[in-house]
C-alpha cells in the first residue's frame, strides 16, 4: 500500500465509528468518539508520537524536538455532522499522522517539536457551540459554554467529565504563542474549485468572514383577482428584484459569496398578493472590507427597490464572524512545498469555517485543501482519491521540512 | 332611516348570526345559517315576496308578475368565510330585498315575476365544493358532490337533509332558461378600483377566468461559502428573475392579473444554495384568449431563464376556470340605470368568482359592484357606507324598471 492507499484504508476503518450506517454520524463525547480515539491513538503511535487526551477532550500526539525548540501544530477535528462523509475533519488527522510516519520512515528529524491535534467538536451538532479544543489552546474558550445542553438535556460539562475530560482544567490549557511555531490544517475543499481547475491540492489564503442579514420587504396583501396590477405593493416582486440584483452584483466581486438560502412569505396562499417577505442574505468574503462594502450595496439596492416599488425594506445584521487570513510566510512555504509535487495547485479562499480560525488567536495558521468529488461534503457521497491524499501527504511532509525555527 | 341606513342596520343585525364574535363566521347548514334564514324571510316578506326554501337550501322570495310572464332573478349568498365581514354575499340579498321594497313603496308593478335568491354556500369553506344553489337552478350540479364531507366527517347530503333540504330533489330544481329573463348580483367590489376612481358603484363587464400553474425551477445546491458565484445554478435566483419579469409584463396587459402568492424553496437553509423552488402562478383575465396568451408568455420567459441560468424549468397547469362575460344587453341597461344616480360609475371586470358565474349557464347575467373601504373583503374590517348602499338600491330599482320583457 502506498501512502494514499493507507489514508483511504484508515478513513474506511474509522468511518465505522458511527451511530448510523448511512454515512458517518460521530458526535463528540459519545461511544463512537471513544472508539475513534482508540484508532487515532494507534495512528499516532505508529508515527512515533506520545499520546494523551487534554482537559477539553482533544487527543494529542507529540514528538519532542530538540530541547527548548518551539512546537508546530497539525490539527483537525474527529467529529462529523449527522450522516456526513468519511473525510471532513478526520482526513486532516489521518494525513498529518501519515506525513509524520513518512518523515520517520525517511529518518528525517525536524528541528522543532510537532503535535497532531484531533479536536473533539468542530461541527457543533450535539451542543450549540463548537471549537472548544482550539479555543482552549488559544485561551479564548468561554467557560459559560460548558452549561450548554444537548437535546437530551446533558450539559457539555457533564458530557466532557464522563468522557474523561476535565472542565475545570480547560483554562490551564492555554498555550504560549511565542513558543508555538504555527498551525497547519488539511481539509477537503468542500467546493468545486479544485476539481474545475484539475488540481489535487489548493493553498488556502484565508478563511472568509461571514455575516447574515435578516431582510424584510413589506407591502400590501389583497385578492389576487380583484387588485389591478398597477398600484400593487407586492412584497415578493420586490424581494425577487432584490435577490436577482444582489446575485448579479456579487458575481463581479472577487472572493465574495452572497446567497439567499432561506425565504418565507406571508400570507403565502395562492390567491393573495404577498404582503411580507422575510429572507436571509448571507455574505462571505476573504476581506472584511469587501464584505462590509457589499452589505452596503445590498442596503442601497433594497432602498432603491423600496422607493421604486413603494414597499418597506429593512436589513438587520444578525450574525458576524470576521475573516481570518492565513499567515503569509507559512502560506508561501506551503505553496512551494505543494507546487513541488502538484504544480497546478491554486491559491483559494476557504468559504467554510475551520478549527484554524480559532487557532489563529494562538499562532500563525496555514491550510491545505484536498480536491473532493463534485465538491460534495457533509454527505455520505463525500469522496477524495487515494492519489490526491497521497500527494497531500508528500506536500505536508515537504512543508514541515521547509518550516524554519 | 333612509334606504342606505336600513341596509346597514339589517347587515349589522344578521351579522350576529355567527359562531365567532370576531367578524362573521356563518357556514352553510348550521344553526347560524338557520338563524340567518329566519331574518331573511322577514326581509322578503316586507318586500311583498312569497318565501320558500328549495331542495338545495336556497331561500327564495318570489313576487308573481302578470300571468305567463318570465322571471327575473336577483341573488347572492348568505354564507361567509371564517372571521369574514358583514357585507360579502349577504349584502346582495339585503339590497335586492330593499330595492323591491322601494318599488313596492313607490307602487311600481314590474311586467315580470321577480325572485330574490339567498344561496346557501358560495365560499366553499365547510365542504370542498360550492355553488350548489345556482348550479341546481342551472341544471349543472354534480350529484357526486353530495358525498363530500366536512372536517367532522358529515356529508353534504346529510347536512342538507337535516337542514330541511332534499338531496334527491335537487335535479328537479333545474329551471327553463327560456322563461328566465336574467340574473343580477350585487356584491362589494373586494378591490380598490372604485375607491381609487371615487365612485360608489361599478358595472361589471364579466367574471375573469382563472388558471393556476405549478412552476418548478431546479438547480444545484451547495455550500453557500465554498461554491463560487460563477457557475452556481441557484434555483431561487432563477425563480426571482421569473417573478419580477412576469410581474412587469403583466402590468402592461389590460384586465389581466398575474400573481405568485405561494413559493417554497429547498433545502431552505441559510448556508445552502437553493436547489429547487416551487411556486404557483395564478393568472386571471376577462378574456380567455388573453389569459392563454399570457400563460404562453410565462412559459417562454421560464424557458429563456432555463437557458441563461442553466436551470431546469417546468410549468404545469393545475386548475382552470374559463371567463364568464356579463350579458351585453343587461349590462347596458345596468350602466344606464346606475349612471343616472352615480354618473362616475366605471365598467370593470370581476377578478373574483361569484354565484353569477354558475347562473350564466341558465340565463343572461349582470353584476353591480359597491365600493368597499380600502378594497378589503373576507376580513372583519370589511365595510361599505350607507350612502353607497343607498345609491345601489336606487340603481337596482331603476335597473329593474328598465328591464324589458
Amino acid at each position: 500500500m502506498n501512502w494514499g492507499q493507507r489514508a483511504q484504508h484508515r478513513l474506511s476503518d474509522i468511518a465505522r465509528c458511527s451511530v448510523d450506517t448511512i454515512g458517518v454520524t460521530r458526535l463528540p463525547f459519545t461511544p463512537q468518539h471513544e472508539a475513534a480515539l482508540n484508532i487515532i491513538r494507534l495512528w499516532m503511535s505508529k508515527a512515533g508520537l506520545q499520546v494523551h487526551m487534554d482537559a477539553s477532550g482533544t487527543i494529542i500526539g507529540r514528538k519532542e524536538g530538540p530541547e527548548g525548540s518551539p512546537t508546530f501544530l497539525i490539527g483537525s477535528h474527529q467529529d462529523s455532522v449527522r450522516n456526513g462523509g468519511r473525510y471532513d475533519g478526520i482526513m486532516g488527522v489521518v494525513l498529518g499522522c501519515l506525513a509524520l510516519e513518512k518523515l520517520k520512515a525517511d529518518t528525517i528529524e525536524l528541528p522543532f517539536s510537532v503535535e497532531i491535534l484531533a479536536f473533539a467538536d468542530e461541527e457543533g451538532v450535539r451542543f450549540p457551540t463548537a471549537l472548544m479544543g482550539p479555543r482552549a489552546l488559544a485561551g479564548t474558550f468561554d467557560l459559560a459554554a460548558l452549561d450548554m445542553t444537548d437535546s437530551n438535556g446533558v450539559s457539555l460539562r457533564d458530557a466532557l467529565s464522563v468522557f474523561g475530560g476535565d472542565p475545570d482544567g480547560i483554562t490551564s490549557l492555554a498555550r504560549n504563542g511565542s513558543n508555538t511555531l504555527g498551525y497547519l490544517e488539511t481539509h477537503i475543499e468542500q467546493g468545486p474549485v479544485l476539481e474545475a481547475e484539475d488540481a489535487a491540492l489548493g493553498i488556502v489564503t484565508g478563511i472568509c468572514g461571514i455575516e447574515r442579514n435578516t431582510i424584510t420587504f413589506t407591502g400590501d396583501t389583497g385578492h389576487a383577482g380583484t387588485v389591478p396590477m398597477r398600484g400593487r405593493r407586492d412584497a415578493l416582486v420586490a424581494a425577487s428584484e432584490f435577490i436577482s440584483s444582489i446575485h448579479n452584483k456579487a458575481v463581479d466581486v472577487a472572493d465574495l459569496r452572497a446567497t439567499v438560502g432561506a425565504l418565507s412569505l406571508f400570507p403565502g396562499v395562492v390567491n393573495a398578493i404577498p404582503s411580507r417577505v422575510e429572507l436571509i442574505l448571507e455574505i462571505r468574503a476573504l476581506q472584511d472590507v469587501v464584505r462590509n462594502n457589499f452589505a452596503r450595496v445590498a442596503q442601497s439596492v433594497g432602498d432603491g427597490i423600496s422607493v421604486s416599488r413603494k414597499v418597506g425594506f429593512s436589513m438587520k445584521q444578525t450574525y458576524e464572524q470576521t475573516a481570518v487570513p492565513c499567515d503569509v510566510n507559512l502560506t508561501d512555504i506551503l505553496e512551494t512545498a505543494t507546487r513541488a509535487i502538484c504544480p497546478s495547485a491554486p491559491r483559494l479562499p476557504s468559504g467554510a469555517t475551520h478549527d484554524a480560525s480559532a487557532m489563529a488567536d494562538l499562532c500563525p495558521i496555514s491550510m491545505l485543501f484536498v480536491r473532493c468529488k463534485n465538491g460534495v461534503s457533509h454527505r455520505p457521497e463525500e469522496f477524495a482519491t487515494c492519489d490526491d491524499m497521497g500527494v497531500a501527504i508528500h506536500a505536508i511532509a515537504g512543508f514541515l521540512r521547509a518550516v524554519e525555527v
Side-chain angles (χ1 to χ4, degrees), chain A:
Chain A
M1 275 205 290
N2 64 27
W3 293 105
Q5 288 165 334
R6 283 186 216 184
Q8 200 70 283
H9 187 266
R10 286 185 179 187
L11 287 166
S12 301
D13 195 26
I14 202 166
R16 286 190 285 270
C17 304
S18 166
V19 287
D20 200 314
T21 54
I22 300 168
V24 176
T25 304
R26 188 166 61 241
L27 307 191
F29 316 123
T30 60
Q32 297 74 40
H33 183 182
E34 181 70 47
L37 290 198
N38 290 332
I39 294 175
I40 296 170
R41 278 191 184 91
L42 286 175
W43 298 344
M44 290 176 165
S45 297
K46 280 197 173 180
L49 309 180
Q50 297 295 317
V51 186
H52 78 286
M53 189 175 82
D54 78 8
S56 75
T58 301
I59 192 100
I60 300 177
R62 178 174 172 92
K63 182 169 195 307
E64 210 63 49
E67 199 178 324
S69 64
T71 304
F72 194 91
L73 307 172
I74 296 173
S76 189
H77 59 97
Q78 70 80 33
D79 68 319
S80 74
V81 296
R82 291 188 204 280
N83 303 113
R86 291 184 292 154
Y87 300 84
D88 188 327
I90 190 65
M91 187 193 74
V93 177
V94 169
L95 301 189
C97 287
L98 288 172
L100 292 187
E101 200 173 322
K102 181 182 186 311
L103 289 177
K104 186 177 163 217
D106 295 344
T107 63
I108 307 289
E109 292 286 335
L110 297 173
F112 44 79
S113 300
V114 189
E115 290 183 12
I116 308 266
L117 314 169
F119 299 118
D121 184 14
E122 190 262 355
E123 301 289 0
V125 171
R126 181 172 175 189
F127 297 99
T129 180
L131 304 176
M132 178 166 58
R135 284 180 179 153
L137 299 181
T140 60
F141 180 69
D142 179 1
L143 291 172
L146 291 169
D147 295 322
M148 289 177 173
T149 54
D150 66 10
S151 59
N152 292 319
V154 177
S155 71
L156 175 52
R157 182 191 311 277
D158 290 348
L160 177 61
S161 295
V162 169
F163 196 72
D166 175 17
D168 297 329
I170 289 179
T171 308
S172 62
L173 293 179
R175 302 266 180 120
N176 179 354
S178 66
N179 196 35
T180 307
L181 258 183
Y183 172 81
L184 172 70
E185 182 166 346
T186 306
H187 204 280
I188 54 167
E189 181 202 345
Q190 305 184 265
V193 175
L194 296 178
E195 197 166 62
E197 301 206 5
D198 200 19
L201 304 179
I203 301 103
V204 178
T205 49
I207 297 169
C208 290
I210 308 174
E211 66 175 275
R212 293 185 183 139
N213 299 277
T214 295
I215 286 173
T216 308
F217 286 95
T218 44
D220 287 328
T221 187
H223 189 292
T226 64
V227 182
M229 299 306 290
R230 286 187 198 276
R232 285 190 180 194
R233 296 170 64 236
D234 184 322
L236 182 60
V237 169
S240 294
E241 214 168 278
F242 179 82
I243 292 166
S244 51
S245 171
I246 289 300
H247 178 88
N248 294 343
K249 285 179 192 297
V251 166
D252 294 328
V253 185
D255 290 343
L256 179 104
R257 325 273 190 248
T259 309
V260 176
L263 179 150
S264 44
L265 74 169
F266 309 90
V269 294
V270 62
N271 61 345
I273 300 164
S275 58
R276 187 158 58 90
V277 170
E278 265 186 38
L279 57 92
I280 300 178
L281 171 65
E282 189 187 271
I283 311 174
R284 301 190 186 217
L286 190 54
Q287 308 288 337
D288 290 331
V289 62
V290 171
R291 176 170 54 76
N292 293 336
N293 282 345
F294 195 79
R296 274 191 287 274
V297 167
Q299 177 76 49
S300 149
V301 166
D303 287 341
I305 291 171
S306 171
V307 170
S308 65
R309 294 261 171 222
K310 298 186 176 64
V311 295
F313 167 75
S314 75
M315 174 167 166
K316 190 172 172 239
Q317 191 186 80
T318 55
Y319 176 81
E320 183 176 30
Q321 177 182 319
T322 55
V324 180
C326 286
D327 178 70
V328 172
N329 180 41
L330 285 182
T331 302
D332 285 346
I333 297 171
L334 182 61
E335 181 182 83
T336 304
T338 301
R339 290 192 179 158
I341 186 165
C342 177
S344 63
R347 286 187 173 228
L348 78 172
S350 172
T353 296
H354 296 285
D355 293 292
S357 66
M359 291 300 286
D361 289 323
L362 172 67
C363 64
I365 64 159
S366 52
M367 281 195 74
L368 182 66
F369 272 171
V370 177
R371 169 169 58 188
C372 56
K373 192 174 174 185
N374 297 326
V376 166
S377 70
H378 287 189
R379 294 218 301 265
E381 312 91 89
E382 193 178 270
F383 183 72
T385 66
C386 293
D387 284 353
D388 289 356
M389 290 192 287
V391 172
I393 290 165
H394 281 82
I396 297 165
F399 165 77
L400 289 171
R401 291 181 66 174
V403 169
E404 292 178 358
V405 177

